[in-house]
Amino acid sequence: MKAFMDKDFLLSTEASKKLFHDYAEQMPILDYHCHINPREIAEDRRFENITQVWLGGDHYKWRQMRSNGVEEKYITGDATDREKFQKWAETLEKLIGNPLYHWSHLELQRYFGYKGHLCGDTAEEVWKLCNEQLQNKWTVRSLIKVSNVTLVCTTDDPIDSLEWHKKIAEDPTFDVQVLPAWRPDKANNVEKPDYANYIAQLSQISGIVIKDFATLKDALKNRLDFFHSMGCRVSDHALEYVMYTPASDEEIDAIITKALAGEAIQKEEELKYKTAFMLFVAKQYNRLGWAMQLHYGCKRDNNAYMFRQLGPDTGFDCINNYAPSAQMADFLNALSATNEIPKTIIYSLNPNDDASIGTILGCFQGPETAGKLQQGSAWWFNDHKQGMTAQMTSLANLGCLGNFIGMLTDSRSFLSYTRHEYFRRILCELLGGWVENGEYPDDQKVLKQIVEGICYNNAVKYFGFNL
């Protein structure tokens, strides 16, 4: 029997152990997509206790606590932090086979030196150990540094002033780059009731009165250029699916006029607007040399009763199986007509989309960048051992795994950098298995390049960051 989460955790062959310990384990981290708050980095926040780090905003954990019958008082309610931690510990011990079990214990091992296992009986011991170190040893910046992170991309709205990014960049005491990433969902969601209010804010900060599609594009271009000047090189979009319903500019003008007047937008109008919006911004990303991330396949806010109480992003989302691959191909094809496809990373929350994504990528690759079009790392409900293995196996089957840009945290927690270690162990187990089985030669020079590339080097080259 192997020891619990020892140095060879998830590594079952000699080849996989060598790949991890000799190559992957040493590589820095480039976290090119996350949801951490740049203000907390600028101010070097110190957390009072482990509950603030682990349970404040982590809907992954909230879902499992609800699955364990925990009252909402102890999840998002007014219970004390110690009480919430106890309920989480009692839930965690039941999560055999769940990635949260591994993530939580990797964090306890790497940051707090705790080699035991967290459960209801050990909660007090872990609570005291973690809190002492959080209060006396760890700050946001020290957690980032000890994790060997070189660059972080946050997620930022076009109307954001980026003041905290500027302060971090001007601080000589912190050498990790913290760059913005452009997330224009509110400008794209024409069907939402707050669209007109948001457009008014975009008009104000850009200095361009938005009244039609032409002025909307001018305002977006103004903000895109500002973000570029602040080091932004990547965008991100949360889409229901990658749609393609082309329309004339006159039709888009009429849709914008309706939305600004507060009139209801029909589904066909929404699809036309979003197609035009995405085509425009994609061409701008190509102009600027940015990468475009497309996240889709999620049905959000399913529990109406809880949504009324807690709002969005609180743990009530699920996989949506409607994603017409033909429309995504048509969208990319429309961009290819003028040779304006930007570097693109495609993530679907539905693992059944892996093969369709893999085949679409191969249609639009180009010599500008190795792996110009990428399938994104296994995302959200798929970022576990089985999901990561399936995603990388599909990518290997249909594309060029050696050019894969690897893992990201997609997290709001400063302890989540161990997810890169989790990913790297799974990567090395997969590759090592192929070597052990005689499916790939034991050529350590090439294997070193592949492993170090997927862990870090490919992303550095792909995004063009100065590191």
Side-chain angles (χ1 to χ4, degrees):
M1 180 187 297
K2 292 184 68 174
F4 170 63
M5 291 185 65
D6 65 0
K7 67 181 182 65
D8 293 328
F9 170 57
L10 297 177
L11 307 171
S12 65
T13 67
E14 290 307 310
S16 64
K17 293 173 187 176
K18 181 174 179 60
L19 294 178
F20 179 75
H21 293 302
D22 288 2
Y23 310 135
E25 192 172 22
Q26 322 301 327
M27 296 304 292
I29 289 173
L30 194 165
D31 199 26
Y32 57 86
H33 176 63
C34 72
H35 296 276
I36 59 175
N37 187 342
R39 179 174 182 170
E40 293 181 340
I41 303 175
E43 297 180 341
D44 199 17
R45 178 181 176 181
R46 186 183 297 276
F47 296 95
E48 296 175 7
N49 60 60
I50 186 64
T51 297
Q52 291 182 3
V53 182
W54 262 6
L55 296 174
D58 190 342
H59 52 78
Y60 283 64
K61 294 185 177 73
W62 294 352
R63 284 172 69 97
Q64 298 309 324
M65 293 171 76
R66 293 179 187 124
S67 297
N68 197 36
V70 175
E71 295 178 53
E72 198 65 31
K73 169 184 177 180
Y74 299 102
I75 303 173
T76 60
D78 59 1
T80 67
D81 284 352
R82 177 64 182 88
E83 290 173 324
K84 291 179 178 180
F85 182 75
Q86 183 68 35
K87 294 297 185 182
W88 166 243
E90 292 169 0
T91 298
L92 184 64
E93 65 185 72
K94 297 183 179 181
L95 297 185
I96 184 170
N98 191 293
L100 283 169
Y101 196 88
H102 294 149
W103 297 350
S104 297
H105 284 93
L106 278 174
E107 292 170 15
L108 289 174
Q109 287 184 13
R110 299 298 176 263
Y111 298 112
F112 304 104
Y114 184 71
K115 301 297 184 181
H117 61 279
L118 176 59
C119 61
D121 291 343
T122 60
E124 180 65 16
E125 171 191 3
V126 176
W127 172 261
K128 289 179 178 177
L129 172 71
C130 294
N131 293 351
E132 180 182 2
Q133 294 190 40
L134 286 169
Q135 292 163 13
N136 299 307
K137 178 181 180 181
W138 295 121
T139 65
V140 162
R141 291 188 180 190
S142 62
L143 288 168
I144 292 173
K145 289 292 292 182
V146 79
S147 303
N148 199 18
V149 177
T150 61
L151 188 147
V152 173
C153 290
T154 58
T155 301
D156 309 279
D157 192 280
I159 67 173
D160 198 302
S161 69
L162 305 184
E163 59 182 301
W164 301 108
H165 297 84
K166 186 173 187 294
K167 289 181 179 180
I168 296 167
E170 293 173 348
D171 186 345
T173 67
F174 188 61
D175 61 357
V176 177
Q177 293 188 58
V178 180
L179 301 179
W182 168 272
R183 179 75 170 253
D185 291 349
K186 291 182 179 179
N188 193 25
N189 291 336
V190 70
E191 79 284 7
K192 299 290 186 182
D194 60 351
Y195 175 82
N197 181 60
Y198 178 80
I199 292 299
Q201 296 178 68
L202 181 59
S203 294
Q204 182 176 13
I205 197 164
S206 66
I208 297 168
V209 178
I210 299 170
K211 59 182 185 297
D212 54 21
F213 194 32
T215 49
L216 173 63
K217 290 189 286 187
D218 287 343
L220 290 170
K221 186 174 181 297
N222 173 281
R223 299 307 293 168
L224 282 160
D225 289 341
F226 169 65
F227 269 60
H228 190 79
S229 74
M230 294 294 292
C232 181
R233 296 297 181 268
V234 60
S235 70
D236 180 48
H237 298 265
L239 303 169
E240 181 183 357
Y241 60 93
V242 182
M243 68 278 296
Y244 186 70
T245 306
S248 67
D249 283 0
E250 290 75 18
E251 289 178 274
I252 305 304
D253 286 344
I255 294 166
I256 291 174
T257 298
K258 283 185 64 176
L260 294 180
E263 298 179 32
I265 300 299
Q266 302 303 310
K267 189 63 178 181
E268 184 74 7
E269 294 172 322
E270 175 193 340
L271 297 178
K272 288 180 176 180
Y273 174 90
K274 289 183 175 180
T275 298
F277 184 99
M278 291 301 302
L279 288 171
F280 170 73
V281 293
K283 292 177 180 181
Q284 291 300 307
Y285 304 151
N286 182 67
R287 172 181 69 87
L288 294 166
W290 290 12
M292 174 174 66
Q293 295 180 99
L294 304 175
H295 286 87
Y296 68 90
C298 180
K299 187 176 187 303
R300 299 177 186 272
D301 307 323
N302 293 290
N303 189 319
Y305 175 76
M306 295 302 296
F307 181 76
R308 286 196 298 270
Q309 296 182 57
L310 301 176
D313 302 322
T314 49
F316 301 98
D317 307 322
C318 69
I319 292 172
N320 187 343
N321 66 358
Y322 179 72
S325 59
Q327 290 195 41
M328 180 162 64
D330 287 344
F331 170 74
L332 293 169
N333 202 38
L335 294 170
S336 78
T338 52
N339 195 28
E340 291 181 280
I341 299 179
K343 292 178 287 189
T344 301
I345 310 165
I346 301 172
Y347 310 76
S348 174
L349 200 56
N350 188 344
N352 292 327
D353 292 338
D354 283 352
S356 61
I357 292 173
T359 57
I360 288 171
L361 301 180
C363 298
F364 300 104
Q365 300 289 7
E368 306 92 336
T369 306
K372 178 180 176 179
L373 272 74
Q374 294 264 339
Q375 181 183 11
S377 186
W379 169 48
W380 198 346
F381 296 124
N382 303 309
D383 55 3
H384 44 71
K385 181 172 67 172
Q386 182 179 351
M388 290 180 181
T389 301
Q391 182 267 339
M392 287 188 281
T393 301
S394 179
L395 181 55
N397 285 335
L398 298 171
C400 186
L401 182 60
N403 288 330
F404 181 35
I405 58 173
M407 187 57 174
L408 57 151
T409 64
D410 192 24
S411 174
R412 291 167 174 81
S413 171
F414 290 96
L415 297 183
S416 291
Y417 298 114
T418 53
R419 293 186 192 178
H420 284 261
E421 178 186 341
Y422 180 73
F423 165 84
R424 291 172 183 185
R425 288 176 178 273
I426 293 166
L427 166 69
C428 292
E429 173 70 1
L430 179 64
L431 301 185
W434 289 336
V435 172
E436 290 275 353
N437 201 38
E439 298 178 55
Y440 194 87
D442 186 20
D443 184 334
Q444 290 300 310
K445 179 180 178 181
V446 176
L447 287 166
K448 179 177 187 289
Q449 291 176 343
I450 291 174
V451 171
E452 292 182 347
I454 295 172
C455 290
Y456 180 76
N457 292 334
N458 291 349
V460 174
K461 294 176 184 177
Y462 184 80
F463 293 106
F465 294 131
N466 183 22
L467 291 168

